[in-house]
Amino acid sequence: MRRAAVLGTGQTHHRTRRTDVSMAGLCREAIDRALEDAATDWSQIDAVVLGKAPDLFEGVMMPELFLAEAIGAAGRPLLRVHTAGSVGGATANVATSLIRAGVHRRVLVVAFEKQSESNAMWALSIQPPFSAPIGAGAGGYFAPHIRAYIRRCSAPEHIGALVAVKDRRNGALNPYAHLRQPDITLESVRSSAMLWDPIRYDETCPSSDGACAVVLGDQAAAEASDRQVAWIRATAMRTEPTFFAGKDHVHPRAGAEAARALWDAAGIADPLDEVDVAELYVPFSWFEPMWLENLGFAGPGHGWKLTEAGETRIGGRLPVNPSGGVLCSNPIGASGLLRFAEAAMQVMGRAGGHQVAGARTAVGHAYGGGSQFFSLWVVAAEPDRPAGQR
């Protein structure tokens, strides 16, 4: 299989309302930064892959059509990807497959959401025919799964607050983050309003306007770059229905199988020992320990122990979301691609104030829907595993 690499990344400043730009302007802000970071221009882009969450989130159907010219897709192949909240990760993986298959040499990946122009809570509460009614938005849907995790694993009630404090303080190091709270404390999080038991106000993600873009290239393009690139060692995607007999909402089968496929493809035997940074899709703070277990970084019931021991902080054994993650910026369509881009930035040494020292291998993770869509990639500073490494 041909090699693929991240040549450059770009993202917008994420805010509650970006009234200064249109959807097209929002995308171009990220794209222009990605092209500059990759030291390339429009003439070298062969195709564009765009990702966005459900069209109801902005109330604009098929926005890729009116955005085509602004995102550089006029006269080029354009592909739209949609896998609910995981779409940013799925978009990166689809684009990677185009490079690896030899279809294109350089592909521009872009994902966005402008939630201020609609109402995601309303969009998530509609009742399609023959489906279970959900009238409480994402938080109300996932809160029972978090309660199930707490009961199953006997997790202390303060774990969610620990994650929130860590990620919001990390976000203060990231100039693009929506929420930047260097002075947040465990006490302030635990005293914030309860929204959906056990999820408190300060343990939930914001609603953001924002976009992210990534330039991918083949081996020749990567080797021609005079800057460090992030080699894509492996990708994986798995899906499962929202509901089925025996579905485990705490430990989704699709997520676990995607992780096993990823580690096998990347030649990683012990993720906790061999991965330097993890950018995980954590929209509610309790999902950090849940995903640590689901992805194989910790055994059942031990994810919260890694968090409590401080091992997921910057400087810990496995820094999780040094960028601040989804708890700090959540333009839904772009949130997964942000995780992938931030992982690449770490191994390229271009993460700025939230750079993890010595990061050589990183993971990007995204999930969406009712914990039914999962996308992952492993990126590294070298195209192959160093000799002697397991």
Side-chain angles (χ1 to χ4, degrees), residues 3-297:
R3 289 171 175 161
V6 176
L7 307 181
T9 69
Q11 61 183 285
T12 64
H13 290 93
H14 309 289
R15 300 287 184 269
T16 301
R17 293 177 178 84
R18 286 295 306 271
T19 57
D20 58 317
V21 290
S22 63
M23 290 183 193
L26 194 69
C27 290
R28 279 298 295 268
E29 186 177 311
I31 291 169
D32 290 349
R33 288 183 176 133
L35 291 173
E36 181 181 8
D37 191 48
T40 190
D41 57 34
W42 293 102
S43 67
Q44 298 189 67
I45 299 300
D46 301 320
V48 179
V49 183
L50 178 137
K52 203 193 81 63
D55 288 348
L56 279 173
F57 280 19
E58 284 101 354
V60 177
M61 300 303 292
M62 301 176 70
E64 65 275 13
L65 299 184
F66 87 87
L67 289 173
E69 186 172 11
I71 63 177
R76 294 181 175 87
L78 169 64
L79 181 63
R80 160 83 184 272
V81 180
H82 169 39
T83 56
S86 75
V87 63
T91 304
N93 284 355
V94 168
T96 300
S97 72
L98 295 174
I99 299 289
R100 286 182 160 177
V103 177
H104 301 298
R105 288 198 59 202
R106 289 181 181 85
V107 176
L108 174 66
V109 187
V110 58
F112 80 98
E113 208 75 60
K114 208 164 192 289
Q115 293 190 68
S116 66
E117 298 189 3
S118 184
N119 188 320
M121 180 72 170
W122 172 84
L124 288 169
S125 300
I126 63 172
Q127 187 176 350
F130 312 110
S131 67
I134 301 172
Y141 178 84
F142 289 114
H145 309 161
I146 293 172
R147 290 196 299 270
Y149 173 79
I150 293 171
R151 289 194 302 270
R152 182 184 301 184
C153 302
S154 300
E157 64 176 17
H158 65 276
I159 298 300
L162 285 175
V163 175
V165 170
K166 170 183 68 72
D167 283 6
R168 295 282 171 78
R169 289 181 177 176
N170 287 350
L173 305 174
N174 180 358
Y176 294 105
H178 179 172
L179 299 181
R180 308 176 72 233
Q181 298 174 274
D183 299 322
I184 193 171
T185 65
L186 190 67
E187 292 72 26
S188 68
V189 174
R190 297 185 71 180
S191 64
S192 64
M194 183 70 74
L195 297 183
W196 308 277
D197 185 26
I199 305 170
R200 294 186 177 276
Y201 180 81
D202 282 346
E203 296 175 332
T204 189
C205 56
S207 177
S208 310
D209 286 356
C212 181
V214 173
V215 178
L216 302 184
D218 62 9
Q219 183 169 349
E223 291 175 345
S225 175
D226 60 2
R227 305 190 73 188
Q228 174 69 54
V229 302
W231 295 94
I232 303 170
R233 290 268 185 87
T235 66
M237 292 193 290
R238 293 292 188 276
T239 65
E240 64 182 52
T242 307
F243 300 104
F244 61 88
K247 172 155 181 170
D248 188 343
H249 290 277
V250 173
H251 185 58
R253 178 178 172 183
E257 290 189 359
R260 284 194 291 269
L262 184 80
W263 305 138
D264 182 63
I268 291 176
D270 188 336
L272 186 58
D273 280 344
E274 299 175 54
V275 173
D276 301 313
V277 186
E279 281 282 340
L280 306 184
Y281 201 113
V282 178
F284 306 103
S285 58
W286 277 96
F287 273 93
E288 176 177 295
M290 290 169 65
W291 292 149
L292 287 172
E293 297 175 26
N294 189 240
L295 301 182
F297 288 109

